Amino acid sequence: MDIIWLFVMLFGMLLVGVPVAVSLAGASAIFIIANGSPPPMIVAHRMINGVDSFPLLAVPFFILAGNLMNTAGITERIFNFALALVGWMRGGLGHVNVGASVIFAGMSGAAVADAGGLGAIEIKAMRDANYDAGFSVGITAASSTIGPIIPPSLPMVIYGVVAGASIGQLFVAGFIPGILMAGSLMLMISWFARRKGFPRDQPFYWSVLWSTFQRAFLSLLTPVIIVGGILTGAFTPTEAAVAACAWALFLGLVVYRTLTLPRFLRVSYDTIETTAVVLLVVGAAAIFAWILTSNRVPEQFAAALLAVSDRPWVILILINLILLLVGCFMETVAAITIMVPVLLPIAIDIGIDPVHFGVIMVLNLMLGLLTPPVGMVLYVLARVAKIPFEKCVAGTAPFLIPLVAVLLLITFVPAITMWLPTLIYR
């Protein structure tokens, strides 16, 4: 019964608008004080332990790398290259939207960075070409979820730290699911294009493709440096994040010369602010997860799920439904930190590899970024596009269909996720 009150306090605070980190830490502190044991000092101790991790150093550096690329004009070069590559297709700017997100996914690993950086360029271009605002925002929101699936990925770094799983294997495992997400979204765009008579936005010219490729070439090397460095063993994921920052600084300061001192200071401030919020959530969620674990909630939850059915496919469907529901109400980092200790033991019991489960969990929670009431990506794009939040939700809804289809595919066909990690690491 005490645990029920813990959740009541947490969701009560969230509903009245208390920040996620304060809600998690506050509910945990009240629970500990009310129970009289352990001492309240455990709150600070557990928060510190929650963020005392070398792999978590990747978080601020990947955030900084994404911000630098948005500010240094790298995203515009990527967009122009994607436009030359796939803009000739019917509904071309929709396909460009997806293609640019796939490329940018190999640089930042954050959905909100994709939506806020590339999204502003993509929505403006689609608006100028007279695309419907709802469709423009919908495909921009849906394609931004590819970012944390194709490596590098901030949510996978958090999952790897909490689950004790290999971050390198998690990164590699996201490749094929990310490509499947892109392919399914492009099929949906093609269907919309035929139904609504979308134009071909730009003729295909080899000369234009070559010139835009040359302009974007050094930018396109970023994912090669990050992922190639990890796969060859030259970098750990944390060191790869530092290398990404160094490369982005080199491009912005030396090559393109678009990164001025005022811009760099603004980027640094934004990175510090975002990192502080993320790590505060991680620390606060670590306390909450510790309370759940010490009160044997994972064991009780596992017993309840297995009482429903002992068939793995039924358990997987229930886990997916739980994660989709959690993603609607909880910020991604907090959801991972809290739900991994509860759900991972169940997944392992039914024979699911922790790396495979990590991709399933991250994709579920990315869908949560597209659903109200939290829907962080929707709020960002509503501000970027200057349209009502409700219109963003309506425009995004059709694109949830292909994304959910991919989620079910990777859930029930483990080879899609595990083939590359098995080939490279095992």
mmCIF file of all heavy atoms in Angstrom, residues 182-215:
data_model
loop_
_atom_site.group_PDB
_atom_site.id
_atom_site.type_symbol
_atom_site.label_atom_id
_atom_site.label_comp_id
_atom_site.label_asym_id
_atom_site.label_seq_id
_atom_site.Cartn_x
_atom_site.Cartn_y
_atom_site.Cartn_z
ATOM 1 N N ALA A 182 12.714 4.440 -41.243
ATOM 2 C CA ALA A 182 12.777 5.386 -42.364
ATOM 3 C C ALA A 182 12.020 4.842 -43.573
ATOM 4 O O ALA A 182 11.241 5.562 -44.211
ATOM 5 C CB ALA A 182 14.234 5.664 -42.725
ATOM 6 N N GLY A 183 12.232 3.566 -43.898
ATOM 7 C CA GLY A 183 11.555 2.967 -45.041
ATOM 8 C C GLY A 183 10.049 2.953 -44.887
ATOM 9 O O GLY A 183 9.305 3.247 -45.843
ATOM 10 N N SER A 184 9.572 2.639 -43.677
ATOM 11 C CA SER A 184 8.120 2.591 -43.452
ATOM 12 C C SER A 184 7.500 3.987 -43.555
ATOM 13 O O SER A 184 6.392 4.151 -44.083
ATOM 14 C CB SER A 184 7.818 1.971 -42.079
ATOM 15 O OG SER A 184 8.262 2.809 -41.027
ATOM 16 N N LEU A 185 8.207 4.995 -43.065
ATOM 17 C CA LEU A 185 7.703 6.369 -43.169
ATOM 18 C C LEU A 185 7.671 6.828 -44.629
ATOM 19 O O LEU A 185 6.735 7.525 -45.050
ATOM 20 C CB LEU A 185 8.567 7.316 -42.332
ATOM 21 C CG LEU A 185 8.437 7.187 -40.812
ATOM 22 C CD1 LEU A 185 9.462 8.066 -40.104
ATOM 23 C CD2 LEU A 185 7.028 7.558 -40.352
ATOM 24 N N MET A 186 8.662 6.434 -45.405
ATOM 25 C CA MET A 186 8.685 6.821 -46.816
ATOM 26 C C MET A 186 7.564 6.125 -47.596
ATOM 27 O O MET A 186 6.982 6.710 -48.515
ATOM 28 C CB MET A 186 10.055 6.512 -47.425
ATOM 29 C CG MET A 186 11.172 7.379 -46.852
ATOM 30 S SD MET A 186 12.819 7.046 -47.522
ATOM 31 C CE MET A 186 12.748 8.026 -49.020
ATOM 32 N N LEU A 187 7.224 4.899 -47.231
ATOM 33 C CA LEU A 187 6.073 4.222 -47.844
ATOM 34 C C LEU A 187 4.784 4.976 -47.522
ATOM 35 O O LEU A 187 3.916 5.151 -48.388
ATOM 36 C CB LEU A 187 5.978 2.780 -47.343
ATOM 37 C CG LEU A 187 6.999 1.787 -47.903
ATOM 38 C CD1 LEU A 187 6.871 0.444 -47.210
ATOM 39 C CD2 LEU A 187 6.817 1.636 -49.418
ATOM 40 N N MET A 188 4.681 5.456 -46.277
ATOM 41 C CA MET A 188 3.493 6.217 -45.876
ATOM 42 C C MET A 188 3.418 7.536 -46.655
ATOM 43 O O MET A 188 2.330 7.964 -47.081
ATOM 44 C CB MET A 188 3.546 6.491 -44.372
ATOM 45 C CG MET A 188 2.252 6.997 -43.774
ATOM 46 S SD MET A 188 1.042 5.673 -43.663
ATOM 47 C CE MET A 188 -0.273 6.494 -42.769
ATOM 48 N N ILE A 189 4.562 8.183 -46.836
ATOM 49 C CA ILE A 189 4.601 9.432 -47.601
ATOM 50 C C ILE A 189 4.162 9.171 -49.044
ATOM 51 O O ILE A 189 3.406 9.963 -49.629
ATOM 52 C CB ILE A 189 6.021 10.040 -47.569
ATOM 53 C CG1 ILE A 189 6.367 10.499 -46.145
ATOM 54 C CG2 ILE A 189 6.133 11.216 -48.532
ATOM 55 C CD1 ILE A 189 7.837 10.779 -45.942
ATOM 56 N N SER A 190 4.641 8.073 -49.633
ATOM 57 C CA SER A 190 4.264 7.739 -51.009
ATOM 58 C C SER A 190 2.759 7.535 -51.132
ATOM 59 O O SER A 190 2.139 7.960 -52.120
ATOM 60 C CB SER A 190 5.002 6.466 -51.458
ATOM 61 O OG SER A 190 6.396 6.687 -51.475
ATOM 62 N N TRP A 191 2.165 6.907 -50.129
ATOM 63 C CA TRP A 191 0.713 6.702 -50.131
ATOM 64 C C TRP A 191 -0.014 8.043 -50.068
ATOM 65 O O TRP A 191 -0.962 8.287 -50.815
ATOM 66 C CB TRP A 191 0.325 5.816 -48.957
ATOM 67 C CG TRP A 191 -1.149 5.548 -48.877
ATOM 68 C CD1 TRP A 191 -1.863 4.642 -49.611
ATOM 69 C CD2 TRP A 191 -2.099 6.210 -48.027
ATOM 70 N NE1 TRP A 191 -3.196 4.680 -49.269
ATOM 71 C CE2 TRP A 191 -3.371 5.634 -48.301
ATOM 72 C CE3 TRP A 191 -2.000 7.205 -47.072
ATOM 73 C CZ2 TRP A 191 -4.525 6.053 -47.640
ATOM 74 C CZ3 TRP A 191 -3.141 7.619 -46.420
ATOM 75 C CH2 TRP A 191 -4.396 7.053 -46.703
ATOM 76 N N PHE A 192 0.440 8.918 -49.167
ATOM 77 C CA PHE A 192 -0.141 10.264 -49.063
ATOM 78 C C PHE A 192 0.028 11.022 -50.380
ATOM 79 O O PHE A 192 -0.873 11.742 -50.818
ATOM 80 C CB PHE A 192 0.528 11.050 -47.930
ATOM 81 C CG PHE A 192 -0.172 10.959 -46.609
ATOM 82 C CD1 PHE A 192 0.399 10.267 -45.548
ATOM 83 C CD2 PHE A 192 -1.398 11.573 -46.409
ATOM 84 C CE1 PHE A 192 -0.236 10.184 -44.323
ATOM 85 C CE2 PHE A 192 -2.041 11.498 -45.184
ATOM 86 C CZ PHE A 192 -1.469 10.800 -44.142
ATOM 87 N N ALA A 193 1.211 10.899 -51.000
ATOM 88 C CA ALA A 193 1.512 11.642 -52.226
ATOM 89 C C ALA A 193 0.569 11.249 -53.353
ATOM 90 O O ALA A 193 0.081 12.111 -54.097
ATOM 91 C CB ALA A 193 2.965 11.399 -52.631
ATOM 92 N N ARG A 194 0.308 9.943 -53.497
ATOM 93 C CA ARG A 194 -0.626 9.494 -54.539
ATOM 94 C C ARG A 194 -2.052 9.938 -54.228
ATOM 95 O O ARG A 194 -2.797 10.347 -55.120
ATOM 96 C CB ARG A 194 -0.572 7.968 -54.665
ATOM 97 C CG ARG A 194 0.692 7.448 -55.328
ATOM 98 C CD ARG A 194 0.542 5.996 -55.726
ATOM 99 N NE ARG A 194 0.252 5.137 -54.575
ATOM 100 C CZ ARG A 194 1.187 4.568 -53.838
ATOM 101 N NH1 ARG A 194 2.464 4.764 -54.109
ATOM 102 N NH2 ARG A 194 0.852 3.802 -52.822
ATOM 103 N N ARG A 195 -2.418 9.873 -52.960
ATOM 104 C CA ARG A 195 -3.794 10.201 -52.564
ATOM 105 C C ARG A 195 -4.079 11.691 -52.704
ATOM 106 O O ARG A 195 -5.168 12.101 -53.121
ATOM 107 C CB ARG A 195 -4.015 9.748 -51.117
ATOM 108 C CG ARG A 195 -5.436 9.920 -50.629
ATOM 109 C CD ARG A 195 -5.553 9.478 -49.188
ATOM 110 N NE ARG A 195 -6.870 9.808 -48.659
ATOM 111 C CZ ARG A 195 -7.148 10.028 -47.374
ATOM 112 N NH1 ARG A 195 -6.172 9.957 -46.493
ATOM 113 N NH2 ARG A 195 -8.345 10.308 -46.977
ATOM 114 N N LYS A 196 -3.096 12.530 -52.345
ATOM 115 C CA LYS A 196 -3.310 13.974 -52.331
ATOM 116 C C LYS A 196 -2.680 14.694 -53.522
ATOM 117 O O LYS A 196 -2.761 15.926 -53.617
ATOM 118 C CB LYS A 196 -2.783 14.572 -51.023
ATOM 119 C CG LYS A 196 -3.497 14.038 -49.779
ATOM 120 C CD LYS A 196 -3.111 14.821 -48.538
ATOM 121 C CE LYS A 196 -3.908 14.370 -47.317
ATOM 122 N NZ LYS A 196 -3.611 15.165 -46.123
ATOM 123 N N GLY A 197 -2.029 13.942 -54.396
ATOM 124 C CA GLY A 197 -1.443 14.557 -55.586
ATOM 125 C C GLY A 197 -0.276 15.472 -55.295
ATOM 126 O O GLY A 197 -0.133 16.529 -55.922
ATOM 127 N N PHE A 198 0.599 15.085 -54.362
ATOM 128 C CA PHE A 198 1.771 15.897 -54.065
ATOM 129 C C PHE A 198 2.696 15.958 -55.280
ATOM 130 O O PHE A 198 2.828 14.987 -56.027
ATOM 131 C CB PHE A 198 2.542 15.316 -52.879
ATOM 132 C CG PHE A 198 1.845 15.484 -51.558
ATOM 133 C CD1 PHE A 198 2.209 14.709 -50.466
ATOM 134 C CD2 PHE A 198 0.831 16.416 -51.381
ATOM 135 C CE1 PHE A 198 1.591 14.857 -49.242
ATOM 136 C CE2 PHE A 198 0.201 16.573 -50.163
ATOM 137 C CZ PHE A 198 0.573 15.799 -49.093
ATOM 138 N N PRO A 199 3.390 17.083 -55.467
ATOM 139 C CA PRO A 199 4.273 17.230 -56.635
ATOM 140 C C PRO A 199 5.636 16.580 -56.410
ATOM 141 O O PRO A 199 5.979 16.165 -55.308
ATOM 142 C CB PRO A 199 4.422 18.749 -56.737
ATOM 143 C CG PRO A 199 4.336 19.212 -55.316
ATOM 144 C CD PRO A 199 3.331 18.305 -54.642
ATOM 145 N N ARG A 200 6.404 16.526 -57.498
ATOM 146 C CA ARG A 200 7.831 16.209 -57.404
ATOM 147 C C ARG A 200 8.536 17.549 -57.215
ATOM 148 O O ARG A 200 8.493 18.396 -58.094
ATOM 149 C CB ARG A 200 8.312 15.501 -58.667
ATOM 150 C CG ARG A 200 7.563 14.202 -58.944
ATOM 151 C CD ARG A 200 8.029 13.570 -60.251
ATOM 152 N NE ARG A 200 7.155 12.472 -60.620
ATOM 153 C CZ ARG A 200 7.294 11.210 -60.207
ATOM 154 N NH1 ARG A 200 8.297 10.917 -59.397
ATOM 155 N NH2 ARG A 200 6.461 10.272 -60.597
ATOM 156 N N ASP A 201 9.179 17.744 -56.077
ATOM 157 C CA ASP A 201 9.613 19.078 -55.686
ATOM 158 C C ASP A 201 10.849 19.575 -56.431
ATOM 159 O O ASP A 201 11.080 20.775 -56.520
ATOM 160 C CB ASP A 201 9.878 19.116 -54.178
ATOM 161 C CG ASP A 201 8.589 18.961 -53.397
ATOM 162 O OD1 ASP A 201 7.704 19.818 -53.531
ATOM 163 O OD2 ASP A 201 8.451 17.955 -52.677
ATOM 164 N N GLN A 202 11.660 18.657 -56.951
ATOM 165 C CA GLN A 202 12.883 19.102 -57.625
ATOM 166 C C GLN A 202 13.326 18.033 -58.618
ATOM 167 O O GLN A 202 13.395 16.852 -58.262
ATOM 168 C CB GLN A 202 13.988 19.335 -56.582
ATOM 169 C CG GLN A 202 15.321 19.756 -57.180
ATOM 170 C CD GLN A 202 16.302 20.178 -56.109
ATOM 171 O OE1 GLN A 202 16.044 21.087 -55.342
ATOM 172 N NE2 GLN A 202 17.447 19.513 -56.058
ATOM 173 N N PRO A 203 13.635 18.406 -59.843
ATOM 174 C CA PRO A 203 14.145 17.415 -60.803
ATOM 175 C C PRO A 203 15.482 16.853 -60.314
ATOM 176 O O PRO A 203 16.214 17.511 -59.569
ATOM 177 C CB PRO A 203 14.330 18.215 -62.096
ATOM 178 C CG PRO A 203 13.549 19.468 -61.893
ATOM 179 C CD PRO A 203 13.537 19.746 -60.433
ATOM 180 N N PHE A 204 15.779 15.645 -60.750
ATOM 181 C CA PHE A 204 17.040 15.027 -60.350
ATOM 182 C C PHE A 204 18.139 15.400 -61.350
ATOM 183 O O PHE A 204 17.987 15.198 -62.560
ATOM 184 C CB PHE A 204 16.906 13.503 -60.290
ATOM 185 C CG PHE A 204 18.178 12.816 -59.874
ATOM 186 C CD1 PHE A 204 18.525 12.735 -58.540
ATOM 187 C CD2 PHE A 204 19.034 12.278 -60.826
ATOM 188 C CE1 PHE A 204 19.709 12.113 -58.152
ATOM 189 C CE2 PHE A 204 20.216 11.657 -60.453
ATOM 190 C CZ PHE A 204 20.554 11.572 -59.102
ATOM 191 N N TYR A 205 19.236 15.948 -60.843
ATOM 192 C CA TYR A 205 20.399 16.264 -61.670
ATOM 193 C C TYR A 205 21.643 15.723 -60.969
ATOM 194 O O TYR A 205 21.872 16.010 -59.785
ATOM 195 C CB TYR A 205 20.558 17.781 -61.850
ATOM 196 C CG TYR A 205 19.433 18.443 -62.609
ATOM 197 C CD1 TYR A 205 18.521 19.249 -61.938
ATOM 198 C CD2 TYR A 205 19.280 18.262 -63.981
ATOM 199 C CE1 TYR A 205 17.476 19.866 -62.617
ATOM 200 C CE2 TYR A 205 18.241 18.874 -64.670
ATOM 201 C CZ TYR A 205 17.343 19.665 -63.981
ATOM 202 O OH TYR A 205 16.305 20.263 -64.653
ATOM 203 N N TRP A 206 22.441 14.951 -61.712
ATOM 204 C CA TRP A 206 23.674 14.433 -61.123
ATOM 205 C C TRP A 206 24.589 15.566 -60.679
ATOM 206 O O TRP A 206 25.283 15.455 -59.662
ATOM 207 C CB TRP A 206 24.400 13.542 -62.135
ATOM 208 C CG TRP A 206 23.797 12.175 -62.277
ATOM 209 C CD1 TRP A 206 23.071 11.697 -63.323
ATOM 210 C CD2 TRP A 206 23.877 11.120 -61.309
ATOM 211 N NE1 TRP A 206 22.680 10.402 -63.076
ATOM 212 C CE2 TRP A 206 23.165 10.020 -61.845
ATOM 213 C CE3 TRP A 206 24.468 10.991 -60.060
ATOM 214 C CZ2 TRP A 206 23.034 8.814 -61.180
ATOM 215 C CZ3 TRP A 206 24.345 9.794 -59.381
ATOM 216 C CH2 TRP A 206 23.643 8.718 -59.925
ATOM 217 N N SER A 207 24.600 16.658 -61.441
ATOM 218 C CA SER A 207 25.483 17.779 -61.108
ATOM 219 C C SER A 207 25.105 18.412 -59.774
ATOM 220 O O SER A 207 25.979 18.770 -58.973
ATOM 221 C CB SER A 207 25.437 18.831 -62.223
ATOM 222 O OG SER A 207 24.109 19.306 -62.407
ATOM 223 N N VAL A 208 23.780 18.553 -59.544
ATOM 224 C CA VAL A 208 23.316 19.131 -58.274
ATOM 225 C C VAL A 208 23.627 18.189 -57.122
ATOM 226 O O VAL A 208 24.074 18.609 -56.042
ATOM 227 C CB VAL A 208 21.802 19.430 -58.337
ATOM 228 C CG1 VAL A 208 21.298 19.927 -56.990
ATOM 229 C CG2 VAL A 208 21.508 20.449 -59.429
ATOM 230 N N LEU A 209 23.398 16.876 -57.338
ATOM 231 C CA LEU A 209 23.703 15.894 -56.299
ATOM 232 C C LEU A 209 25.181 15.933 -55.942
ATOM 233 O O LEU A 209 25.548 15.918 -54.758
ATOM 234 C CB LEU A 209 23.309 14.490 -56.773
ATOM 235 C CG LEU A 209 23.588 13.349 -55.786
ATOM 236 C CD1 LEU A 209 22.771 13.532 -54.514
ATOM 237 C CD2 LEU A 209 23.285 12.000 -56.421
ATOM 238 N N TRP A 210 26.034 16.028 -56.963
ATOM 239 C CA TRP A 210 27.473 16.044 -56.722
ATOM 240 C C TRP A 210 27.902 17.319 -55.990
ATOM 241 O O TRP A 210 28.710 17.253 -55.047
ATOM 242 C CB TRP A 210 28.219 15.907 -58.042
ATOM 243 C CG TRP A 210 29.720 16.000 -57.915
ATOM 244 C CD1 TRP A 210 30.542 16.946 -58.441
ATOM 245 C CD2 TRP A 210 30.564 15.093 -57.197
ATOM 246 N NE1 TRP A 210 31.846 16.705 -58.106
ATOM 247 C CE2 TRP A 210 31.902 15.568 -57.346
ATOM 248 C CE3 TRP A 210 30.339 13.940 -56.461
ATOM 249 C CZ2 TRP A 210 32.985 14.918 -56.769
ATOM 250 C CZ3 TRP A 210 31.429 13.293 -55.881
ATOM 251 C CH2 TRP A 210 32.719 13.778 -56.035
ATOM 252 N N SER A 211 27.347 18.463 -56.391
ATOM 253 C CA SER A 211 27.739 19.722 -55.743
ATOM 254 C C SER A 211 27.272 19.774 -54.287
ATOM 255 O O SER A 211 28.016 20.226 -53.412
ATOM 256 C CB SER A 211 27.192 20.922 -56.528
ATOM 257 O OG SER A 211 25.776 20.942 -56.501
ATOM 258 N N THR A 212 26.054 19.306 -54.023
ATOM 259 C CA THR A 212 25.565 19.305 -52.631
ATOM 260 C C THR A 212 26.315 18.274 -51.790
ATOM 261 O O THR A 212 26.552 18.486 -50.604
ATOM 262 C CB THR A 212 24.055 19.019 -52.572
ATOM 263 O OG1 THR A 212 23.766 17.781 -53.249
ATOM 264 C CG2 THR A 212 23.254 20.138 -53.201
ATOM 265 N N PHE A 213 26.711 17.156 -52.439
ATOM 266 C CA PHE A 213 27.508 16.154 -51.716
ATOM 267 C C PHE A 213 28.860 16.730 -51.317
ATOM 268 O O PHE A 213 29.344 16.517 -50.199
ATOM 269 C CB PHE A 213 27.694 14.910 -52.588
ATOM 270 C CG PHE A 213 28.621 13.889 -51.985
ATOM 271 C CD1 PHE A 213 28.212 13.093 -50.921
ATOM 272 C CD2 PHE A 213 29.917 13.735 -52.477
ATOM 273 C CE1 PHE A 213 29.076 12.164 -50.354
ATOM 274 C CE2 PHE A 213 30.787 12.805 -51.914
ATOM 275 C CZ PHE A 213 30.361 12.019 -50.855
ATOM 276 N N GLN A 214 29.472 17.473 -52.232
ATOM 277 C CA GLN A 214 30.762 18.091 -51.924
ATOM 278 C C GLN A 214 30.642 19.073 -50.772
ATOM 279 O O GLN A 214 31.494 19.106 -49.874
ATOM 280 C CB GLN A 214 31.306 18.808 -53.172
ATOM 281 C CG GLN A 214 31.830 17.867 -54.254
ATOM 282 C CD GLN A 214 32.352 18.627 -55.456
ATOM 283 O OE1 GLN A 214 31.653 19.477 -56.010
ATOM 284 N NE2 GLN A 214 33.581 18.350 -55.859
ATOM 285 N N ARG A 215 29.551 19.877 -50.782
ATOM 286 C CA ARG A 215 29.361 20.858 -49.712
ATOM 287 C C ARG A 215 29.099 20.175 -48.367
ATOM 288 O O ARG A 215 29.462 20.695 -47.313
ATOM 289 C CB ARG A 215 28.194 21.792 -50.037
ATOM 290 C CG ARG A 215 28.473 22.745 -51.181
ATOM 291 C CD ARG A 215 27.379 23.798 -51.307
ATOM 292 N NE ARG A 215 27.460 24.777 -50.231
ATOM 293 C CZ ARG A 215 26.519 24.946 -49.308
ATOM 294 N NH1 ARG A 215 25.437 24.191 -49.311
ATOM 295 N NH2 ARG A 215 26.660 25.859 -48.377
#
